[in-house]
Amino acid sequence: DSELAARMTEVKRQLVEQKIPAPSEAALRKQVLERMVLERIQLQHANQLGIKPTDREIDNAIKGVAERNHLTTDALFRALRELGVEADAYRSEVRDQVTIEKLLEREINSKVTVTDEEVDEFLSSRQKQARVDDAFNVSHIQIGLPESANPQQVEEARRKVEEIRNS
């Protein structure tokens, strides 16, 4: 229950920080608890599949958080300490997040396959569409010409039309 309480406190802090109105205490408790259960299930599944992030991946994730917040890694850990979050606890949390990301990537990549033929077909259809679009656009360009145009104006308009056709 202390883990749930800690998560609730963190979520409330984030909501206040982002100026998002918090749901009722009961609704928030339910959402946080559901999220915790889902995370546990995902972590167990990742463990069964042997998915484990390396220390380097965890370090890179922490570095990314620090950079997004315009901090050094040391400054991030100092800020977390001021919020009552110990470095080991934060590192463990990041490890869990990276593990879940790797699991999701693996699950998605195993279900989504794009063949070379599909890529070729897509590129071909895009090229054909581009030619149709170009032809459509070029054929609808109007060259303004007054009703009582003199021969010089007519010749200038023809020259512009030829220029467009040849480009």
Side-chain angles (χ1 to χ4, degrees), residues 52-112:
K52 183 179 177 189
T54 64
D55 287 340
R56 183 183 199 130
E57 289 171 318
I58 296 164
D59 291 341
N60 287 340
I62 291 170
K63 184 179 178 186
V65 170
E67 288 173 356
R68 284 191 298 279
N69 288 286
H70 309 290
L71 299 170
T72 64
T73 303
D74 289 339
L76 172 66
F77 282 119
R78 279 194 302 276
L80 288 168
R81 219 176 1 264
E82 289 173 14
L83 293 170
V85 179
E86 293 300 320
D88 289 342
Y90 182 71
R91 189 169 178 80
S92 177
E93 187 179 317
V94 171
R95 175 179 282 108
D96 289 349
Q97 291 172 359
V98 172
T99 301
I100 290 170
E101 285 175 20
K102 289 179 75 160
L103 171 68
L104 295 175
E105 284 174 16
R106 180 172 174 174
E107 292 295 315
I108 290 169
N109 288 341
S110 71
K111 289 176 178 54
V112 177

Side-chain angles (χ1 to χ4, degrees), residues 113-167:
T113 55
V114 180
T115 64
D116 290 341
E117 293 80 24
E118 289 171 319
V119 171
D120 291 342
E121 184 179 311
F122 173 77
L123 292 174
S124 175
S125 71
R126 293 294 298 156
Q127 288 172 340
K128 289 176 186 172
Q129 185 61 43
R131 284 193 293 269
V132 169
D133 289 347
D134 289 347
F136 176 78
N137 291 335
V138 170
S139 69
H140 286 86
I141 295 175
Q142 278 188 325
I143 304 295
L145 198 59
E147 268 185 50
S148 57
N150 64 36
Q152 272 183 318
Q153 291 171 314
V154 171
E155 186 54 39
E156 180 65 22
R158 280 193 184 127
R159 189 184 60 70
K160 285 182 183 176
V161 168
E162 285 305 311
E163 232 178 83
I164 292 170
R165 281 187 184 151
N166 294 331
S167 61

Side-chain angles (χ1 to χ4, degrees), residues 23-52:
S24 70
E25 187 77 15
L28 184 61
R29 181 180 176 86
K30 182 180 180 208
Q31 290 173 359
V32 170
L33 191 54
E34 286 173 355
R35 171 114 179 138
M36 289 173 65
V37 168
L38 178 62
E39 286 175 2
R40 289 272 164 79
I41 291 169
Q42 290 172 322
L43 289 170
Q44 285 175 357
H45 187 57
N47 188 41
Q48 290 169 347
L49 295 174
I51 296 172
K52 183 179 177 189

